[in-house]
Amino acid sequence: MHPQPVARRRAGVNRCRPRLAACAAGLALGMPLLAAALGSWHGWPPNFGKDGRLVEVTGFGSNPGQLRMFTYVPRGLEPGRPLVLALHGCTQQANGYDDETGWTAMADRYRFALLLPQATINLARCFRWFDPAHSSRDRGEALSLRQMRDRMLGEHQLDPGRVYVTGLSAGGAMTSVLLAVYPDLFAGGAIVAGIPFRCAGNESEAQRDCGLFGRPLGPGRNRSAQEWAALVRAASQHPGPFPRVSLWHGTLDNMVHQQDQIALMQQWTAVHGIDQVADAEQIEGGHLRKVYRNDAGEALVETWLVSGLAHGVPVDPGEGAGKCGRAAPFVLTAGICASERIVQFWAIEK
């Protein structure tokens, strides 16, 4: 089927009513968690980007994960440009995550296509990062996301060697999944307040052991860097190289513990065969950035610890270089535009 533009309208907010327990359970698995009290968003109002419509695409494959596919492609985008997948957190949706986080502005500024998948199954609309039926190569939601990627590459003549993925919270955890099970299909990733790959193998493990609600990782998750990395290497037959990874977390995040960022750093530095001692540290605007390089001096992993940031994507509203986004639930003004810094780390040229 052909892509179909969808008109913009304001989403309503409904209470969970008799299904409050199911709503809270879904939120507990993937965050953001505040919506357990506020209810979940309904409606599907993809919005207008600066240079065209957010478009829903159907018929992109077997779609075993039952996801929806939304896209933003700047007008006149040249063949051979990159593709970025941006995965929302629980209770969020493609509409909003596109421009609130600054990703549509980055697509215009750096000339790449943007793919915004939408989770649909559970009430909180969380990606199912903890379920092997959806977090294994060519299964469930992971396969749906691969099918979306392939559709975009063919339809818009994009560069298969420059495909990137980012996400917040449950979307960040699903970003971990895609980088692990499809390291041959992604050149880089960015995980914002996310979870290391294979922290959990089921729902109860996810709630108990993966640092949710600000609790530390469970005792069984105090793995070494090599143990974390082995989980990634076992997820595919790919011998390398592996995607470069940018990791973001807030100092005031009380929904995902900061230990998750440390475990992610250990996991991905060890996957790349580099040590866990930063090669460079700097403070930018009060935020701590660490860079981990290989022997050739290539920055393969970076971490950002954003001062004063709670659970969300950091943005810096305004016009011009270094500015992006607008404040919204779980999209938080922090004096730094994560989306642009991530694009620069990936080295997507304008």
Side-chain angles (χ1 to χ4, degrees), residues 13-31:
V13 180
N14 293 328
R15 297 182 184 273
C16 287
R17 294 190 292 272
R19 301 170 67 181
L20 179 61
C23 178
L27 291 165
L29 290 174
M31 307 77 59

Side-chain angles (χ1 to χ4, degrees), residues 30-325:
M31 307 77 59
L33 305 172
L34 181 60
L38 297 179
S40 59
W41 296 94
H42 293 276
W44 307 96
N47 67 354
F48 293 94
K50 291 182 180 178
D51 202 23
R53 284 178 180 264
L54 200 65
V55 171
E56 179 166 15
V57 178
T58 59
F60 54 84
S62 59
N63 190 20
Q66 300 180 59
L67 305 179
R68 298 179 75 175
M69 175 180 177
F70 296 94
T71 68
Y72 177 79
V73 180
R75 288 190 181 130
L77 186 68
E78 305 86 351
R81 295 303 298 163
L83 170 65
V84 172
L85 283 67
L87 309 183
H88 63 80
C90 292
T91 77
Q92 294 177 312
Q93 54 193 34
N95 171 56
Y97 201 76
D98 58 342
D99 61 340
E100 291 169 358
T101 57
W103 278 111
T104 48
M106 294 305 107
D108 287 332
R109 188 175 301 170
Y110 288 88
R111 304 297 293 168
F112 58 78
L114 186 61
L115 167 57
L116 296 136
Q118 176 69 62
T120 65
I121 294 301
N122 50 63
L123 186 61
R125 291 202 301 276
C126 304
F127 290 102
R128 290 170 282 183
W129 54 273
F130 52 85
D131 185 348
H134 296 279
S135 60
S136 302
R137 188 176 176 101
D138 291 343
R139 296 185 65 189
E141 290 184 354
L143 178 54
S144 293
L145 293 165
R146 175 179 184 165
Q147 290 171 341
M148 293 181 192
R149 169 197 176 274
D150 294 347
R151 171 68 179 268
M152 287 291 287
L153 292 179
E155 185 166 327
H156 299 285
Q157 299 179 292
L158 304 174
D159 184 349
R162 291 192 294 167
V163 181
Y164 306 88
V165 58
T166 181
L168 165 68
S169 198
M174 201 66 188
T175 296
S176 295
V177 167
L178 292 183
L179 295 174
V181 304
Y182 296 122
D184 50 329
L185 303 184
F186 291 93
I191 300 166
V192 184
I195 309 290
F197 177 68
R198 285 288 180 265
C199 177
N202 57 54
E203 178 178 333
S204 61
E205 289 181 3
Q207 295 192 49
R208 184 184 66 236
D209 294 329
C210 291
L212 307 192
F213 304 105
R215 295 191 298 259
L217 293 173
R221 303 309 185 269
N222 293 327
R223 298 175 171 130
S224 69
Q226 292 300 330
E227 288 171 332
W228 280 118
L231 296 170
V232 172
R233 295 194 187 100
S236 76
Q237 301 299 314
H238 185 59
F242 286 86
R244 63 173 58 189
V245 183
S246 179
L247 306 170
W248 292 72
H249 213 95
T251 60
L252 299 184
D253 192 332
N254 62 1
M255 300 197 185
V256 178
H257 200 280
Q258 192 182 330
Q259 280 188 350
D260 282 292
Q261 187 191 48
I262 296 170
L264 280 162
M265 178 275 291
Q266 294 172 330
Q267 186 167 61
W268 285 100
T269 51
V271 164
H272 281 289
I274 56 181
D275 62 37
Q276 288 71 61
V277 178
D279 296 287
E281 291 189 26
Q282 60 194 83
I283 301 291
E284 296 188 29
H287 314 305
L288 176 61
R289 181 187 185 227
K290 297 183 179 182
V291 181
Y292 303 81
R293 304 181 188 275
N294 63 10
D295 290 341
E298 298 173 297
L300 298 180
V301 177
E302 70 168 0
T303 63
W304 282 90
L305 188 60
V306 182
S307 179
L309 181 72
H311 188 68
V313 176
V315 296
D316 189 9
E319 298 296 328
K323 299 289 187 177
C324 76

